[in-house]
Amino acid sequence: MATSPTGALSEIGVSIWLDDLSRERISSGGLQRLIAERNVVGVTTNPTIFAGALAKGEAYDEQVRALAAADTTVTAAVFEITTDDVAAACKIFRPVYDSTGGVDGRVSIEVEPGLAHNTEATVAQARELWAKVNEPNAMIKIPATIEGLAAITEVIGSGISVNVTLIFSLDRHRAVIDAYLAGLEKAQASGHDLSTIHSVASFFVSRVDTEIDKRLDAIGSSEAIALKSTAGIANARLAYELYQDAFASPRAAALLQTGGQKQRPLWASTGVKDPSLPDTLYVTALAVAETVNTMPEKTLEATFDHAVITGDAVTGAYENARATLAALEGLGISYDEVTSLLEQEGVEKFIVSWNELLDTVSAAIEAAK
């Protein structure tokens, strides 16, 4: 019997990954405690997370002084600091990686967001990050832009595990799965062991609600208000249906039979933005086997404390999900317009965070000289 809601999630096949990483969390034993006490089996990072970690405390001071003394450039310093944290976290999660056959125990690090529309540069940096971290349980995060799709195929084809991020639409999710399968075919042709290559497709949830709810409020009708905070979950549930169908295809089956792994859906952006909603909404409503839910610590603790996990909340809900998206279109809210805008904004927000990270490290280096 599960002794906690996070344990219940794990039992039905949801992998809980923490959406946060810092050197203090690593060195204090905090990360190890979350593995032991909160059923956490992986970590995701992004520029915002690293900028926040570097802005607080003294955990990075010694390394920053060494980098300053070596006259390291700011970009190179960020590369050293972030890959060191990811490599250290990989070591902590290595027992999870080993016990799950590589499915979990994963630590993700993202290519520079400014490269999101440059296929060749994304591929080059993905390989550089993979080589630098040099741990088998690392995952390289690549955004699901049009240019990112070709990069995903090339990087997977090189035998590197990939976390595809910033997926908002079903069409793009379908293209991401296709890029992954093409990468596995490329890897197979090059003689790679497919069983060692893993991937997740990070489908964003709460940001969809935030954008669509603004439009529903502007419409203001009773029908519109009744649809608030339903789009993100409906969209994600249909992404899971797409995943099931795609990996039941003859093309996928042929790869799975030779050691290939399914590209699991990962629910990202699962912190609730609207305070009127249950704080575990995007956990309980998307609980289903063969998924990852990457949670900020606040959501993780709320889930552990009071989430009610009742089993599979997804596979019986596809028709209702389709009806929800159809109703939104009927009100004049364009799904394609919203998801395209969210992708553009997602890249832009990560670029802003990346620049903040560079500024934070630059100031720290200057102060250490």
Side-chain angles (χ1 to χ4, degrees), residues 198-257:
H198 288 253
S199 183
V200 291
S202 295
F203 206 86
F204 280 55
V205 186
S206 68
R207 292 190 195 184
V208 174
D209 277 342
T210 300
E211 181 59 34
I212 287 181
D213 285 0
K214 285 190 299 186
R215 300 175 186 222
L216 291 169
D217 280 332
I219 294 169
S221 66
S222 58
E223 183 186 4
I225 299 306
L227 285 168
K228 285 186 66 176
S229 306
T230 61
I233 291 168
N235 197 32
R237 285 172 171 168
L238 292 177
Y240 190 79
E241 181 188 38
L242 195 162
Y243 155 77
Q244 287 184 305
D245 290 346
F247 284 94
S249 71
R251 180 189 186 191
L255 290 163
L256 298 179
Q257 286 167 6

Side-chain angles (χ1 to χ4, degrees), residues 29-203:
L31 196 55
Q32 190 66 56
R33 283 193 293 276
L34 291 177
I35 296 170
E37 300 172 7
R38 298 292 187 267
N39 303 91
V40 170
V41 292
V43 162
T44 52
T45 68
N46 60 46
T48 304
I49 287 169
F50 280 124
L54 277 150
K56 295 181 288 190
E58 303 172 352
Y60 296 94
D61 288 0
E62 182 179 347
Q63 185 173 19
V64 168
R65 283 193 294 270
L67 292 167
D71 205 23
T72 309
T73 67
V74 174
T75 302
V78 168
F79 183 81
E80 292 296 324
I81 290 167
T82 57
T83 53
D84 279 3
D85 276 3
V86 169
C90 281
K91 289 180 172 65
I92 292 172
F93 278 99
R94 184 59 187 266
V96 177
Y97 168 84
D98 290 339
S99 68
T100 61
V103 172
D104 285 312
R106 294 286 177 171
V107 185
S108 297
I109 184 169
E110 189 161 351
V111 296
E112 292 180 31
L115 306 179
H117 299 294
N118 186 325
T119 301
E120 292 76 16
T122 295
V123 172
Q125 190 172 86
R127 289 173 172 159
E128 188 180 10
L129 287 166
W130 181 259
K132 175 64 175 176
V133 174
N134 196 29
E135 297 288 344
N137 51 329
M139 266 189 167
I140 308 304
K141 288 178 82 172
I142 297 175
T145 57
I146 292 296
E147 298 84 357
L149 296 173
I152 292 158
T153 294
E154 189 65 29
V155 173
I156 290 288
S158 301
I160 296 171
S161 294
V162 173
N163 176 341
V164 183
T165 189
L166 288 178
I167 307 172
F168 295 96
S169 76
L170 297 170
D171 280 348
R172 189 56 54 83
H173 187 205
R174 189 176 291 108
V176 164
I177 294 172
D178 184 68
Y180 171 63
L181 294 175
L184 288 183
E185 289 161 349
K186 193 179 184 77
Q188 189 175 51
S190 300
H192 287 285
D193 178 357
L194 297 191
S195 69
T196 67
I197 305 170
H198 288 253
S199 183
V200 291
S202 295
F203 206 86

Side-chain angles (χ1 to χ4, degrees), residues 258-310:
T258 55
Q261 306 292 316
K262 294 179 180 179
Q263 183 187 53
R264 290 184 296 168
L266 179 152
W267 310 132
S269 180
T270 57
V272 172
K273 308 294 193 294
D274 183 343
S276 70
L277 297 173
D279 54 4
T280 62
L281 176 65
Y282 300 123
V283 176
T284 57
L286 295 174
V288 63
E290 298 182 350
T291 58
V292 179
N293 195 306
T294 180
M295 308 179 195
E297 187 169 24
K298 183 178 179 182
T299 303
L300 173 65
E301 289 303 325
T303 298
F304 178 80
D305 180 66
H306 55 260
V308 179
I309 309 302
T310 56

